[in-house]
Amino acid sequence: MAEEAALELEDSAEPKSKKKLILFGAIGAVLITVIAITAYLLLSSDDAAQVTGADDVVAAESAPRTGEAFYAAMPRPFLFNLPDNGRTRLVEIKVQLMVRGSDDDTLIKKHIPLIEDALLTTFSGADIQKLSSPAGKDELRLLALRNVQNTLQPVTGRTVVEKILFTGFVMQ
């Protein structure tokens, strides 16, 4: 009888260990599958963000901004000389920047010296013949806008200025 009890213990021990082995194997397989799926999703979302990152920037820049328009006047008018057929002409331009939202207005006021530098560089490189025509003034305004946006982009991480307005334009 002792032999029969020992045999019963051995027989019943095998199915329990097999059940444990199957249970641990199934848990391990589920765990490995979950880890693999998570790693795939994390790695593929980074690749997709890198590929579509440029598209998002273009879409964000082309999307119309919403919010209240604020106008930030530059503290001083821009005075510079331009050569014109052997003589020098004095040009004075008063500028205001249009931004959307009070946060951008505060941000612009914080970066006034950087904006002044970009605008003065753009204006001093202008051609006096172009500035004599309305189309030339519009071209200068667009060039100034691009230069200001490109100057502020690395500092602020976005294009803050929506429009540049000439509120005064004098050539002598």
Side-chain angles (χ1 to χ4, degrees):
M1 200 161 199
E3 290 176 9
E4 290 177 15
L7 287 177
E8 281 182 27
L9 288 176
E10 289 176 12
D11 290 340
S12 64
E14 281 183 36
K16 285 184 181 178
S17 66
K18 285 184 181 179
K19 287 181 183 177
K20 286 182 182 179
L21 183 63
I22 292 172
L23 181 63
F24 285 131
I27 290 172
V30 168
L31 187 61
I32 289 173
T33 305
V34 168
I35 291 171
I37 290 172
T38 304
Y40 174 76
L41 291 175
L42 288 175
L43 293 176
S44 67
S45 67
D46 288 345
D47 293 341
Q50 290 174 356
V51 170
T52 60
D55 296 338
D56 293 342
V57 170
V58 170
E61 289 179 1
S62 64
R65 296 182 189 180
T66 59
E68 186 178 359
F70 285 88
Y71 299 94
M74 299 306 291
R76 295 170 293 285
F78 293 92
L79 289 169
F80 53 95
N81 295 319
L82 291 177
D84 179 32
N85 296 331
R87 68 178 218 182
T88 303
R89 309 262 319 247
L90 179 69
V91 179
E92 178 186 66
I93 302 176
K94 293 181 183 177
V95 176
Q96 288 196 5
L97 308 173
M98 185 176 113
V99 296
R100 295 284 179 172
S102 61
D103 293 339
D104 287 350
D105 186 40
T106 306
L107 192 62
I108 287 297
K109 290 177 182 171
K110 180 180 175 184
H111 295 290
I112 288 288
L114 188 62
I115 296 167
E116 283 181 332
D117 176 62
L119 288 173
L120 189 58
T121 303
T122 304
F123 294 156
S124 63
D127 182 20
I128 198 72
Q129 302 303 326
K130 287 185 179 180
L131 293 181
S132 300
S133 69
K137 290 177 187 175
D138 287 339
E139 183 181 324
L140 181 64
R141 185 180 301 120
L142 291 174
L143 181 62
L145 176 63
R146 276 191 235 113
N147 286 347
V148 167
Q149 287 176 341
N150 291 339
T151 301
L152 288 176
Q153 180 74 29
V155 176
T156 62
R158 57 192 168 95
T159 57
V160 179
V161 178
E162 186 175 331
K163 199 174 212 179
I164 291 184
L165 305 165
F166 292 163
T167 57
F169 197 99
V170 177
M171 283 194 307
Q172 292 181 346

